[in-house]
Amino acid sequence: MAKILVYNQDINRMESFIRNEGDPMPYNTNGTLKVKEFRGSSKSNILWTDKRTMQAWNSQRYIYGAPIYVGFAFKRPYEGGHGNQSQHYAGTAFDVGQNLTNAKRAVLRNSAQNSGVWKYVEPVSISPTWVHFDRRYGTPACSTGGYPIIRSGSRGNYVCIAQDDLNTLGYRTGGLDGVFGQQTYNAVRRYQESRGLSVDGIIGCNTWRSLQENVVGTGKTGTTIN
C-alpha cells in the first residue's frame, strides 16, 4: 500500500491517494499502469507524480496498442539509482520495454517519439536496452537542464523532491506535501546559509545542485519522512 501525491495542474493543487500495489495509479485509465509498476524497485511508502504524466502514459498506451513493460519509474532521491536531477525522482519518467527484442523496442521508441506527449525520449545510443521517456515541465533552473526554479507558493512534485531532500538532511519542512509554504521556505534558508549559498529561500540552480549532490543515493536518515 502506498500514499501517492499527485500534482493536478488543472487546479494547481496537490492531491493525495491511498492505493494498494495492484491498484491502477491515480488518473490511469483501463488499469494499464499499476502502483507496483510505477513504484518499480522503490521501497518508499510515499510516491509522487503529476496528473499530466499519467495522462501522457494513457495516451502512449493507447497509441502503442499493447501492454508496456515498466522496468523503472519512480525513485526517491535518497534511494539513488539515477542522475542527480533525474526525472525519475520527480515521478515523471519511465524506463520501459526491457523485455522486448531490439526490433520491438525500436517500434516502441518510435511510437513515443511520434506521440507528441513526451517532453523527452532518450535516443537509442544512450539506452539501447530500454526506452526512456518523460514528461518534465517548467524551464530548467540550470542552463544544462534539470529541475525548474521553485519558491514560496510553488506546488508540485518538484517541491516534493526539495522537501524530501531537506528533511533527509535534517532541515525540517513540517511535512512532505508538495506545497512550498513558510516552513519549507525557512528550511531552504537554513540550508542555504549552512552551505554558503545565496540565502534567498529560492531553490534555483545552485541550491538544486547542492541538495541533490548531498542526498542522491545516501539512504534514509532519522529525519526522512516516510
Side-chain angles (χ1 to χ4, degrees):
M1 183 175 289
K3 178 181 179 180
I4 306 171
L5 301 174
V6 180
Y7 176 53
N8 185 336
Q9 289 94 345
D10 296 338
I11 56 176
N12 189 29
R13 182 178 300 171
M14 293 299 298
E15 299 174 320
S16 180
F17 303 84
I18 301 296
R19 292 285 189 273
N20 291 314
E21 297 299 299
D23 292 338
M25 285 289 291
Y27 295 109
N28 173 241
T29 57
N30 300 320
T32 60
L33 181 65
K34 302 292 196 296
V35 171
K36 62 184 178 183
E37 294 174 306
F38 180 78
R39 171 193 295 283
S41 60
S42 174
K43 305 300 183 184
S44 175
N45 294 320
I46 304 173
L47 316 175
W48 53 77
T49 184
D50 61 55
K51 182 178 178 180
R52 183 167 53 187
T53 297
M54 293 298 100
Q55 292 173 326
W57 172 271
N58 293 337
S59 297
Q60 180 61 58
R61 177 62 177 76
Y62 176 79
I63 293 167
Y64 185 60
I68 300 174
Y69 173 81
V70 181
F72 297 96
F74 178 79
K75 279 279 194 176
R76 285 174 68 167
Y78 69 75
E79 295 181 294
H82 301 279
N84 279 0
Q85 292 198 39
S86 169
Q87 295 297 320
H88 288 285
Y89 304 133
T92 65
F94 299 88
D95 288 351
V96 302
Q98 290 89 338
N99 62 339
L100 298 177
T101 64
N102 287 338
K104 290 184 177 180
R105 260 195 303 274
V107 172
L108 177 55
R109 182 176 282 104
N110 289 336
S111 174
Q113 289 171 335
N114 295 330
S115 69
V117 301
W118 303 108
K119 182 75 172 181
Y120 175 71
V121 179
E122 207 161 67
V124 67
S125 59
I126 297 177
S127 51
T129 59
W130 69 89
V131 178
H132 170 101
F133 43 70
D134 63 57
R135 193 65 175 90
R136 66 190 72 177
Y137 64 90
T139 301
C142 298
S143 60
T144 53
Y147 303 150
I149 295 172
I150 57 174
R151 50 169 55 89
S152 289
S154 295
R155 299 184 180 202
N157 38 331
Y158 295 105
V159 177
C160 289
I161 295 173
Q163 291 176 327
D164 197 25
D165 288 354
L166 289 162
N167 283 297
T168 294
L169 292 170
Y171 299 84
R172 298 179 186 272
T173 66
L176 178 55
D177 59 7
V179 179
F180 200 131
Q182 187 63 48
Q183 291 187 72
T184 299
Y185 173 79
N186 292 341
V188 172
R189 288 181 59 88
R190 291 196 302 273
Y191 176 79
Q192 289 172 330
E193 184 174 16
S194 72
R195 302 288 170 163
L197 299 166
S198 177
V199 182
D200 57 9
I202 297 171
I203 302 182
C205 182
N206 291 334
T207 302
W208 269 129
R209 282 178 172 168
S210 179
L211 283 169
Q212 292 296 96
E213 286 171 1
N214 282 288
V215 172
V216 169
T218 60
K220 289 189 294 185
T221 69
T223 52
T224 298
I225 296 175
N226 200 38

